[in-house]
Amino acid sequence: MRKVLAGPADRLPRPPYDPEIDNIFKALGGMPERYEVEKLRKDAAARTQPLTNALLSDKSIKVEDITIPGPRQDLTVSVVRPSATTGESHPCIFYIHGGALVAADRFAGLDTSAVWAREFNAITMSVEYGRAPENTGTQPAEDCYAALLWAGKHLPELGIDPERLLLYGTSAGGGLAAATALMARDRGGPKLCGLVLECPMLDDRNEKVSSHQFSTGPFYNSTLNRFAWRCLLGERVGGSSVSEYEAPARAQDLSRMPPTFLDCASAEPFRDEIVAFASKLWEGGVQAELHVWPGGPHGYDRIIPTAPFAILARQTRLAWIRRTFFQTI
């Protein structure tokens, strides 16, 4: 499916936006009349390219592309290393990008790898997984798992400490990271020291209160979310045949997952599915930390990165990763 008409008006009162966000909301106005894969990809590329150019010209890191075998075809993985290496093993963040399952590429959000290199002396790996609608069902998650599995088998030659391999996903990449972590649990590895789910896209059903509160508007909303899930799942979306490797919120058992950090904003459609996922992790005996930042829409960290709550959110994520890598209080 390539196009979808705009959905109905929101049916419930909304939590308010932060004043800085509210000004942007009013300036942007309404939502598109149609969502189209081609336009979403074009818009995502335009947003990403300046940040990618800055990353590739950053002298503090080195970026290398490698080709590895995938489940259906070869996969490209970008490896970002600190330029100054000491010969010691590095922690690694295996990163999965967002883009509503249909847009963006492995460089979307990868500019943060320069921060991770500086803060943690970390290596970052980012895989070019197959996007919907060309890749459907479990195929995007299988690509991510194949790349993670390859990394797990080549840690010494990559210079990565096997005790400090962390999986990180943003938005749609957060859902894929959760699915990949479930595969790693169920298939015997690789061992993960932690899982970071930044505003993850977890549930194809769009049934939660926050989904009904944010079905419209210029920011990511549940109408676009329905379109994205239908691109991945087709007519199966919302039905009983969807597996936890496609929509991780379908998982009945989240025990034995790695320690997990989750965050989201109060004014976004994913809010309640993320809170429910955190509760399911706790139910399974998993150490999980959840933050719901007040007043932000989905993607607030990119929309207005200078907002005080966005700065605090980034600092909080970094602090959790630091504790996970270095076991500090």
Coordinates of all heavy atoms in Angstrom, one line a residue, residues 12 37 75-76 82 94 121 151 164 207 240-241 243 281-282 302 310 314 322:
L12 N -10.5 12.2 21.9 CA -10.3 12.4 23.3 C -9.5 13.6 23.5 O -8.7 14.1 22.7 CB -9.6 11.2 23.9 CG -10.3 9.8 23.9 CD1 -9.4 8.7 24.3 CD2 -11.6 9.9 24.7
V37 N 4.5 6.7 0.5 CA 5.9 6.2 0.8 C 6.9 7.1 0.1 O 7.9 7.5 0.8 CB 6.0 4.7 0.3 CG1 7.5 4.3 0.4 CG2 5.1 3.8 1.2
L75 N 23.8 -7.3 3.3 CA 23.4 -6.1 4.0 C 24.6 -5.2 4.2 O 25.7 -5.7 4.3 CB 22.9 -6.5 5.4 CG 21.7 -7.4 5.5 CD1 21.5 -7.9 6.9 CD2 20.4 -6.7 5.0
T76 N 24.3 -3.9 4.2 CA 25.4 -2.9 4.4 C 25.3 -2.4 5.9 O 24.2 -2.1 6.4 CB 25.2 -1.7 3.5 OG1 25.3 -2.1 2.1 CG2 26.3 -0.7 3.8
P82 N 35.8 5.7 17.2 CA 36.6 6.9 17.7 C 37.9 6.9 16.9 O 38.5 5.9 16.6 CB 36.8 6.6 19.1 CG 35.9 5.6 19.6 CD 35.6 4.8 18.4
F94 N 24.8 -1.2 19.0 CA 24.2 -1.6 17.7 C 22.9 -0.9 17.6 O 22.0 -1.1 18.3 CB 24.0 -3.1 17.8 CG 23.6 -3.7 16.4 CD1 24.6 -4.3 15.6 CD2 22.3 -3.6 16.0 CE1 24.3 -4.8 14.4 CE2 22.0 -4.1 14.7 CZ 23.0 -4.7 13.9
N121 N 33.8 6.1 24.4 CA 34.8 5.5 23.6 C 34.2 4.3 22.8 O 34.8 3.3 22.6 CB 36.0 5.0 24.4 CG 37.2 4.8 23.6 OD1 37.4 5.4 22.5 ND2 38.1 3.9 24.0
A151 N 27.7 -9.5 14.0 CA 28.5 -8.7 14.9 C 29.0 -9.5 16.1 O 30.1 -9.5 16.5 CB 27.8 -7.4 15.4
R164 N 30.0 -5.9 26.6 CA 29.4 -4.5 26.5 C 28.8 -4.3 25.1 O 29.2 -3.4 24.4 CB 30.4 -3.4 26.9 CG 30.8 -3.5 28.4 CD 31.7 -2.3 28.7 NE 33.0 -2.4 28.1 CZ 33.9 -1.4 28.2 NH1 33.6 -0.2 28.8 NH2 35.1 -1.5 27.6
E207 N -4.8 0.7 19.5 CA -6.0 0.7 20.4 C -5.9 1.5 21.6 O -6.9 1.7 22.3 CB -6.3 -0.8 20.8 CG -6.7 -1.7 19.6 CD -6.8 -3.1 20.0 OE1 -6.3 -3.5 21.1 OE2 -7.4 -3.9 19.3
S240 N -5.0 -11.5 14.5 CA -4.5 -12.4 15.4 C -3.2 -13.1 14.9 O -2.5 -13.8 15.7 CB -5.5 -13.5 15.8 OG -5.9 -14.2 14.6
S241 N -2.9 -13.0 13.6 CA -1.7 -13.7 13.1 C -0.4 -13.0 13.3 O 0.6 -13.5 12.9 CB -2.0 -14.1 11.6 OG -2.0 -12.9 10.8
S243 N 2.9 -11.6 14.8 CA 3.8 -12.2 15.8 C 4.5 -11.1 16.6 O 4.6 -9.9 16.1 CB 4.8 -13.1 15.2 OG 5.8 -12.4 14.6
L281 N 7.6 -5.9 30.9 CA 9.0 -6.2 31.2 C 9.1 -6.4 32.7 O 9.7 -7.4 33.2 CB 9.9 -5.1 30.8 CG 10.2 -5.0 29.3 CD1 10.8 -3.7 28.9 CD2 11.2 -6.1 28.8
W282 N 8.5 -5.5 33.5 CA 8.6 -5.7 35.0 C 7.8 -7.0 35.4 O 8.3 -7.7 36.3 CB 7.9 -4.5 35.6 CG 8.7 -3.2 35.5 CD1 10.1 -3.1 35.6 CD2 8.2 -1.9 35.2 NE1 10.5 -1.8 35.4 CE2 9.3 -1.0 35.2 CE3 7.0 -1.4 35.1 CZ2 9.2 0.3 34.9 CZ3 6.8 0.0 34.8 CH2 7.9 0.8 34.7
R302 N 14.3 15.7 18.0 CA 14.8 16.3 16.8 C 14.0 17.5 16.4 O 14.6 18.4 15.7 CB 14.6 15.2 15.7 CG 15.5 14.0 15.9 CD 16.9 14.3 15.5 NE 17.8 13.1 15.9 CZ 19.1 13.1 15.6 NH1 19.6 14.1 14.9 NH2 19.8 12.1 15.9
A310 N 14.0 18.2 26.4 CA 14.7 17.4 25.4 C 16.2 17.2 25.8 O 16.7 16.1 25.7 CB 14.6 18.0 24.0
R314 N 18.0 13.6 26.8 CA 19.3 13.1 26.2 C 20.3 12.8 27.3 O 21.0 11.8 27.3 CB 19.9 14.1 25.2 CG 19.1 14.2 23.9 CD 19.9 14.9 22.9 NE 20.2 16.3 23.2 CZ 19.4 17.3 23.1 NH1 18.2 17.2 22.6 NH2 19.8 18.5 23.4
R322 N 25.8 5.0 30.3 CA 27.1 5.0 31.1 C 27.1 4.0 32.2 O 28.1 3.3 32.5 CB 27.3 6.4 31.6 CG 28.7 6.6 32.3 CD 28.9 8.1 32.7 NE 29.1 8.9 31.6 CZ 28.2 9.8 31.1 NH1 27.1 10.0 31.7 NH2 28.5 10.5 30.0

